[in-house]
């Protein structure tokens, strides 16, 4: 079929009005220009890097140029679909503002809006300069003062993120993850022992509560959710809990516009109703020994009267917290009517176990306990690891990276043991990822550590596919920190805000289209390993960040007397088909991918695998994806959960053990840990899902509105701002406008302030002010203002900024107005939950 431009614009306008952009629209676009109606070409598999789902793709290539994108037709995780982000790759790859050659800074002054006066240099000069700086660190016996910061990555990251850093001798490999979504993992880990992103069985589900996220726009497996949501809307019930009417809320049977930050009150009231009404899942949770329900509002229960099955601490949780958390208590706190709380709680529980709560990042101060409260509801109804519910997901076929131990010299071993720069494990930063104090990352705190030289100063920093000067809250700290670092290398596709502080800029490949790598992920009951490969010839003089660039640096380090890293790369990553060692960066990238995935594609090694079994390297490359077997439900029900009690924990012995270990490490009590980290809980309440009063920056009298940021379906994590499609289709996000950056505001609030649609207003927080256009929309809870994340760049490219020469932003980056705060138990940056108060003034 052919799709005329006029018809396309009509359809997209209609979809924008409906607040939805289904896969069928984008599939139609792909089908409209297939080889039957266009000149010949071929579909080449690769993998998208537009979000954390990493969908397997196929790119239609004609005369060497990528022209169309679709989901990989062999993928069981995304069922052959991709979301809008996948299609944006076409413009991203051919963006004329990409960094084309290595650049060197000639202006020693660093700061926001300061011209670096970059000049082109050769790759040889660039990597030689970097190698000299690394050798200087080792000569001075301070390799730990090397810092590597990672943003988006591929499955080949251990070559740079792990081996490169450790063999040189630094502990400082810092991931972006704690500015993203780590808190939701805390809720799962400290109830059912899974520190990761959950999967959801939408095909068998009857009741879905989407809490604080919008899985048809972001938060994992968007393509399948877009494809399967229709069945659930027609045959089941969908509820959205969110202060903003997003795509899910626009389609849901019920919308609960909860007060920002008060999610725990709503969740606890729902749990109270489920217990009082006797609707908990007795197969999973258990029951009173005589079958008589003793859960009565305000009354304690004798723990010995209840016989728990697969859970731990239900009655203790009731006595310590739930008995008084009635819908009447919750209504004035969370803003949801008591009758609606009861209705949703009862409907949810009656659908058990074919129901689930799909909860969002809960990236707010004290967010760990909010996540625990929400996740506990899944446990009450037996929705965990059960058909039609939520589960950890299938295990992807994974590659193997050779160990680095024999390539570590004494200096590297000593340096790698030093305290990490992000202060994880300090008393104030327990960072209790996976039950271990100091295991989680505190990405945003790195800026504070650099500025205070605590635990030490950083002398050489490298960042790749990261832009913390834009994506972290209170960005001014990062501007000061990166200006302070004596030598900084930036690896990426664009001259981002962070790149403006670099001494050397290395141009990276556009990962989905121009390099060899792999990726793993899961969804829809399956998992996969997928290929990333060069589907086009490189547009500019660029190198792959995680393979080719570290190999080039390793070659220079060898020339300067430090061969360890080069020896690891060359000796351990030979071509498994020929036995040849890599001699060029390009060979290393290819050989490393083949070596790591050897047991997956070699028919002599994959005979016992229960999923897909490629018949060789070429077969793997041609198909582009290896699917796992389908997930088997209720294994935790029979084998036990990976918690301290081997059960789903309402009273978390797992959290108690982790907090106790952290307290003992610092020779204090758990109560002292709670005090220092800013939580209200004392005593046993620290180990259960409970209500914590939200921490809010800005007195409500002076800053009456709650600030909410949301993620657009067109945001490739902030990397979309320099392409035209991002601006053209932005109106497809409910309440938003194309070609504009707007602040969404409820008309009732606007009327009280004399503000009309299209007026410009001054938005002020305790950290600063910005001017922005107002969009009046009833889909915003009164008392809140909403803006999408992704605009407000003062650097990145000609479309991303309003005036590149003057570094004037296009739109507003509200990260500049958000204070630096954390959920300290996880180390995660606070950016949700209305933790920032704002004042709105018409200008």
């Amino acid at each position: 079929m052919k799709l005329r431009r006029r018809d396309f614009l009509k359809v997209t306008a209609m979809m924008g009005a409906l607040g939805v952009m289904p896969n069928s629209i984008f599939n139609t676009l792909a089908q409209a220009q297939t080889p039957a109606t266009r000149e010949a070409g071929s579909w080449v598999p690769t993998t998208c890097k537009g979000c954390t789902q990493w969908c397997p793709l196929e790119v239609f290539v004609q005369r060497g140029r990528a022209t169309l994108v679709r989901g990989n037709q062999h993928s069981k995780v995304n069922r052959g679909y991709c979301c809008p982000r996948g299609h944006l790759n076409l413009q991203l790859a051919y963006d004329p503002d990409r960094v084309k050659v290595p650049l060197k800074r000639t202006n020693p002054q660093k700061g926001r809006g300061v011209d670096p006066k970059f000049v082109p240099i050769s790759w040889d000069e660039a990597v030689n300069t970097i190698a000299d700086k690394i050798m200087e660190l080792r000569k001075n016996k301070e390799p730990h003062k090397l810092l590597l910061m990672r943003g988006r990555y591929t499955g080949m990251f251990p070559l740079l993120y792990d081996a490169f850093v450790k063999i040189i001798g630094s502990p400082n490999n810092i991931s972006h993850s704690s500015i993203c979504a780590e808190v939701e993992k805390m809720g799962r880990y400290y109830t059912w022992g899974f520190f990761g992103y959950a999967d959801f069985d939408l095909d068998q589900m009857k009741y879905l509560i989407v809490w604080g996220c919008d899985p048809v726009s972001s938060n994992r497996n968007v393509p399948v959710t877009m494809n399967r949501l229709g069945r659930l809307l027609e045959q089941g019930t969908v509820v959205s809990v969110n202060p903003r009417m997003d795509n899910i809320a626009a389609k849901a049977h019920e919308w609960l516009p909860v007060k920002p930050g008060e999610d725990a009150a709503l969740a606890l009231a729902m749990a109270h109703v489920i217990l009082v009404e006797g609707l908990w899942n007795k197969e999973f949770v258990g029951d009173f020994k005589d079958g008589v329900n003793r859960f009565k509002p305000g009354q304690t229960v004798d723990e010995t009267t209840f016989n728990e099955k697969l859970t731990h601490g239900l009655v203790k949780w009731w006595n310590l917290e739930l008995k008084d958390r009635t819908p009447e208590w919750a209504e004035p706190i969370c803003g949801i009517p008591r009758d609606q709380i009861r209705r949703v709680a009862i409907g949810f529980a009656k659908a058990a176990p074919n129901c689930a709560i799909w909860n969002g990042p809960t990236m707010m101060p004290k967010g760990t306990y909010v996540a625990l409260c929400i996740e506990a509801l899944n446990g009450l109804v037996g929705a965990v690891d059960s058909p039609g519910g939520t589960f950890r997901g299938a295990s992807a076929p994974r590659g193997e990276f050779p160990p680095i131990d024999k390539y570590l010299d004494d200096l590297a071993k000593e340096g790698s043991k030093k305290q990490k720069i992000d202060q994880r494990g300090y008393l104030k930063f327990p960072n209790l990822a996976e039950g271990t104090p100091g295991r989680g990352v505190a990405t945003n705190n790195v800026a504070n550590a650099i500025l205070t030289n605590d635990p030490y100063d950083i002398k050489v920093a490298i960042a790749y596919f990261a832009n913390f000067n834009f994506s972290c809250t209170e960005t001014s700290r990062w501007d000061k920190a990166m200006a302070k670092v004596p030598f900084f290398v930036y690896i990426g596709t664009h001259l981002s805000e962070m790149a403006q502080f670099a001494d050397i800029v290395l141009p990276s490949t556009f990962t989905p289209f121009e390099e060899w790598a792999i990726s793993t992920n899961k969804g829809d009951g399956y998992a996969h390993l997928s290929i990333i490969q060069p589907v086009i010839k490189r547009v500019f003089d660029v190198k792959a960040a995680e393979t080719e660039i570290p190999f080039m640096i390793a070659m220079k380090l060898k020339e300067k007397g430090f061969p360890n890293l080069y020896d690891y790369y060359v000796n351990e990553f030979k071509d498994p088909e020929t036995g040849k060692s890599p001699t060029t960066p390009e060979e290393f990238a290819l050989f490393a991918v083949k070596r790591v995935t050897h047991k997956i594609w070699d028919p002599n090694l994959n005979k016992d695998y229960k999923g897909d079994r490629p018949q060789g390297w070429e077969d793997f490359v041609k198909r582009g994806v290896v699917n796992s077997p389908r997930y088997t439900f209720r294994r935790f029900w029979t084998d036990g959960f990976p918690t301290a009690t081997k059960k789903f924990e309402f009273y978390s012995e797992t959290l108690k053990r982790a907090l106790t270990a952290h307290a003992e490490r610092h020779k204090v009590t758990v109560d002292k840990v709670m005090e220092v980290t800013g939580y209200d809980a004392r005593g046993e309440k620290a180990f259960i899902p409970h209500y914590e009063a939200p921490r809010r920056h800005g007195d409500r009298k002076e800053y009456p509105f709650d600030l909410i940021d949301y993620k657009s379906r067109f945001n490739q994590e902030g990397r979309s701002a320099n392409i035209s499609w991002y601006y053209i289709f932005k109106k497809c996000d409910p309440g938003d406008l194309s070609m504009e950056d707007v602040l969404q505001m409820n008309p009732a609030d606007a009327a009280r302030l004399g503000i009309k649609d299209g007026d410009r207003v001054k938005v002020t927080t305790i950290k600063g002010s910005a001017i922005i256009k107002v969009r009046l929309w009833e889909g915003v809870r009164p008392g809140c203002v909403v803006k999408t994340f992704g605009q407000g760049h003062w650097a990145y490219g000609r479309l991303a900024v309003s005036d590149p020469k003057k570094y004037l932003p296009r739109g507003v980056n509200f990260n500049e107005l958000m204070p630096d705060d954390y959920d300290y138990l996880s180390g995660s940056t606070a950016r949700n939950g209305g933790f920032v108060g704002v004042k709105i003034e018409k200008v």
Side-chain angles (χ1 to χ4, degrees), residues 42-64:
S42 59
W43 289 102
V44 183
T46 189
T47 304
C48 186
K49 287 293 164 181
C51 74
T52 51
Q53 185 56 36
W54 304 320
C55 286
L57 298 179
E58 293 177 356
V59 180
F60 193 59
V61 181
Q62 297 170 300
R63 291 188 294 175

Side-chain angles (χ1 to χ4, degrees), residues 702-732:
E702 183 176 359
Y703 304 97
F705 290 92
D706 293 322
L707 176 61
I708 300 170
D709 79 327
Y710 78 93
K711 308 304 181 287
S712 168
R713 64 179 60 197
F714 302 101
N715 272 357
Q716 283 209 359
E717 299 172 320
R719 297 187 296 273
S720 309
N722 204 53
I723 59 174
S724 61
W725 289 348
Y726 171 75
Y727 298 99
I728 292 170
F729 290 107
K730 208 164 164 288
K731 66 180 178 182
C732 297

